[in-house]
Amino acid sequence: MDDSELIARAQAWLAEDPDPETREELAKLIDAEDTEELAARFSGTLQFGTAGLRGELGAGPMRMNRSVVVRAAAGLAAYLKDKGRTGGLVVVGYDARHKSADFARDTAAVMTGAGLRAAVLPRPLPTPVLAFAIRHLGAVAGVEVTASHNPPRDNGYKVYLGDGSQIVPPADAEIAARIDAVATLHDVPRPDSGWETLGDDVLEAYLARTDAVLSPGSPRTARTVYTAMHGVGKETLLAAFARAGFPAPVLVAEQAEPDPDFPTVAFPNPEEPGAMDLSFATARAADPDLIIANDPDADRCAAAVKDGADWRMLRGDEVGALLAAHLVRRGARGTFAESIVSSSLLGRIAGKAGLPYEETLTGFKWIARVDGLRYGYEEALGYCVDPEGVRDKDGITAALLLTELASELKEQGRTLLDLLDDLAVEHGLHATDQLSVRVEDLSLIADAMRRLREQPPTSLAGLPVTKAEDLTRGTETLPPTDGLRYTLDGARVIVRPSGTEPKLKCYLEVVVPVPERSALPAARSEAAERLATIKRDLSAAAGI
């Protein structure tokens, strides 16, 4: 569109915007005739998909703001009514990011105006509390306002249906179509009251449910250092640990309280370089058995352990295998599931235990839908250990279960690293790594994917590619998705664009047999060298 059309579109948006802050921001851009910035904000709309909405805060349809949220809520309300859910309950939760409380209140107002019932959680709380509340209260849908571990300037809008799991196709497209059908915000009734603000009953019910993930009478002696990463996890995790009878965690004081600016980290994600530095410093002083970290909305759980003289983060795949082994030893029954980008070790653990095992597409929206699910995990620090309570990843219950396992091992004079060694000897050393490239220009991701499709690698690290799959075509067990999978002799590579961040992600795994415990150091060295070479060769093949 030309400049006059751009200005006219911005003025029309300004006339509807209910937020004085973004109105002022947009008015300044219009007055300055800043067409470059206006084009960035009005060149399209934030796309509603299976991750809901996520984007940078600011004015305009390409940013997260109250106008975009009201449209999203109106689209969701129309979808629910079309499905015969008129009068049903929609539960709304929110984190402590900028504008989260406003977006939650707007959502409740839209639901109320549409003839649905709305209930808002009493304050910023972990995402798993919202996922629990949907099932606990018999709601027809739920909304969590969060951008999880994205940068401070972002916010997001995550939608769950009545089964307590996140939306999947075709619901996402059907909701998106109803959002697009909202012609003007003046058509969306938004009363000033009429919804319920929940008390602490739901939180208490969630905490009572957390008790069920632990074995009665199990040891509760492991001492922890805990960081909430400036998010909303602290109060809920401390309450859960106190109920369980674990020693009170030592807090990483600088990151304990909610702060939407996340002042001590570049990215509030335990996986990002430097994010755990304050936790390590606290642990060096406190000498705990384990470090536990949540991401800002506490649906993910990270862990670090003493390794020699210092501390190291466990990979998500390592924690996933530890929790699986713990549940198997406790006699858990049901299906163990993981996403295709997670370590194949879970399949071997489940197979040896005689348990059903399934692989799904990336994302807990898929894992949560596995029939008979007992345990599910994803390498990006997401674990579902109580699917009947929370049909999503839950960083609070995962922390409890991991601390129980650390306590049991401590009583035996052993550590989590000892159990990882046991698993390597039993099933082979499964070593994983990731090549993750963050971009400013999204076309670079599309270019890399096209290059790999047009000229797929025939070997990586000297290992021949025995099978190359373009996952956009789907497989016998997986629906289509934008991804590539390469199977090698003793290795596996998956390449896909991130669904929530401007990143190209490449997931690498090598498996090295370990005939006996004494062979572990050599196996680790071989695995590390092979992963590094695969990473180098893949980077060259993708042109990144």
Side-chain angles (χ1 to χ4, degrees):
M1 63 186 127
D2 62 27
D3 288 356
S4 61
E5 288 177 297
L6 185 61
I7 295 289
R9 189 171 178 204
Q11 287 171 331
W13 184 275
L14 177 65
E16 288 187 356
D17 191 338
D19 187 334
E21 288 184 27
T22 45
R23 274 206 311 272
E24 180 182 356
E25 177 187 324
L26 185 53
K28 286 180 179 176
L29 293 174
I30 294 171
D31 290 345
E33 297 184 353
D34 188 344
T35 53
E36 183 178 348
E37 183 61 26
L38 287 171
R41 292 162 184 254
F42 286 87
S43 58
T45 59
L46 276 186
Q47 291 304 298
F48 185 91
T50 51
L53 292 166
R54 201 176 287 191
E56 186 176 345
L57 289 163
M62 289 293 289
R63 299 286 186 267
M64 280 297 295
N65 51 65
R66 290 181 61 195
S67 296
V68 165
V69 164
V70 168
R71 288 174 182 273
L76 174 59
Y79 168 84
L80 292 171
K81 291 171 74 174
D82 287 349
K83 296 294 182 182
R85 300 292 191 263
T86 301
L89 175 67
V90 179
V91 190
V92 185
Y94 59 103
D95 67 11
R97 284 177 178 264
H98 293 296
K99 296 289 184 183
S100 286
D102 292 338
F103 296 167
R105 189 168 54 249
D106 283 332
T107 301
V110 170
M111 295 302 160
T112 303
L116 291 144
R117 292 181 296 126
V120 183
L121 293 181
R123 57 186 173 280
L125 286 167
T127 293
V129 177
L130 181 277
F132 167 83
I134 295 165
R135 292 165 69 87
H136 178 69
L137 297 174
V140 298
V143 171
E144 177 70 16
V145 179
T146 181
S148 190
H149 54 272
N150 275 40
R153 64 179 183 272
D154 289 0
N155 213 328
Y157 199 80
K158 190 182 291 189
V159 176
Y160 297 75
L161 294 181
D163 62 354
S165 56
Q166 296 173 50
I167 54 169
V168 294
D172 57 341
E174 293 176 19
I175 295 169
R178 287 160 178 82
I179 294 171
D180 291 342
V182 178
T184 169
L185 294 194
H186 300 309
D187 295 339
V188 182
R190 299 196 302 280
D192 293 329
S193 61
W195 58 89
E196 179 184 2
T197 299
L198 295 166
D200 281 340
D201 295 358
V202 168
L203 178 60
E204 282 301 315
Y206 168 82
L207 288 169
R209 180 85 203 182
T210 64
D211 299 343
V213 306
L214 303 175
S215 293
S218 62
R220 312 281 166 94
T221 55
R223 296 177 303 106
T224 54
V225 157
Y226 171 71
T227 178
M229 205 67 67
H230 298 297
V232 298
K234 182 191 79 170
E235 297 300 336
T236 304
L237 183 129
L238 291 182
F241 269 55
R243 289 178 68 103
F246 288 114
V250 175
L251 299 178
V252 178
E254 302 93 330
Q255 298 174 335
E257 300 304 324
D259 188 330
D261 294 319
F262 304 104
T264 68
V265 287
F267 293 95
N269 178 354
E271 293 179 297
E272 292 284 347
M276 295 290 287
D277 287 355
L278 287 170
S279 299
F280 296 157
T282 304
R284 290 181 195 116
D287 195 29
D289 301 298
L290 182 67
I291 297 173
I292 294 288
N294 285 139
D295 67 337
D297 69 325
D299 63 350
R300 288 173 169 83
C301 174
V305 293
K306 192 81 172 285
D307 189 4
D310 210 351
W311 291 82
R312 80 164 174 92
M313 272 273 288
L314 292 176
R315 290 189 167 277
D317 284 318
E318 291 177 311
V319 174
L322 288 167
L323 291 175
H326 185 43
L327 288 169
V328 164
R329 196 195 60 73
R330 279 179 25 179
R333 309 307 299 170
T335 301
F336 279 35
E338 65 179 340
S339 62
I340 57 172
V341 299
S342 305
S343 171
S344 59
L345 177 55
L346 183 69
R348 299 198 181 192
I349 292 171
K352 182 150 189 184
L355 296 173
Y357 164 77
E358 279 197 36
E359 273 190 325
T360 75
L361 293 184
T362 308
F364 258 84
K365 56 186 175 283
W366 299 108
I367 294 171
R369 285 180 160 74
V370 168
D371 285 342
L373 181 67
R374 176 58 187 87
Y375 169 65
Y377 99 89
E378 190 157 66
E379 55 74 42
L381 310 181
Y383 314 95
C384 175
V385 302
D386 177 27
E388 291 308 306
V390 175
R391 213 122 179 112
D392 197 9
K393 54 188 177 291
D394 183 345
I396 305 296
T397 49
L400 286 170
L401 197 63
L402 191 63
T403 308
E404 178 186 62
L405 173 57
S407 299
E408 291 188 356
L409 291 166
K410 182 180 181 179
E411 297 295 297
Q412 302 162 18
R414 306 177 77 233
T415 68
L416 295 172
L417 293 180
D418 292 323
L419 180 52
L420 285 172
D421 288 349
D422 293 348
L423 294 172
V425 173
E426 187 174 1
H427 302 288
L429 177 67
H430 289 62
T432 58
D433 200 358
Q434 193 178 124
L435 172 62
S436 181
V437 182
R438 185 181 292 272
V439 299
E440 292 292 330
D441 181 359
L442 288 175
S443 69
L444 297 175
I445 293 176
D447 290 345
M449 295 296 288
R450 187 180 67 252
R451 188 178 290 112
L452 288 170
R453 286 191 169 101
E454 291 173 354
Q455 295 179 296
T458 56
S459 69
L460 295 168
L463 301 172
V465 175
T466 57
K467 188 176 185 182
E469 297 169 278
D470 186 343
L471 299 177
T472 55
R473 303 188 180 105
T475 71
E476 288 182 12
T477 56
L478 298 170
T481 188
D482 186 8
L484 301 163
R485 178 163 62 181
Y486 305 115
T487 304
L488 305 93
D489 186 16
R492 182 215 66 198
V493 172
I494 293 174
V495 184
R496 59 180 281 272
S498 169
T500 55
E501 298 176 271
K503 282 182 175 182
L504 181 69
K505 290 189 165 185
C506 310
Y507 304 84
L508 323 175
E509 179 178 44
V510 300
V511 183
V512 180
V514 183
E516 56 190 8
R517 213 172 185 85
S518 61
L520 271 168
R524 285 202 183 91
S525 177
E526 180 183 342
E529 185 178 333
R530 193 169 293 172
L531 283 170
T533 310
I534 291 174
K535 191 183 287 191
R536 184 196 68 208
D537 291 355
L538 182 65
S539 182
I544 53 175

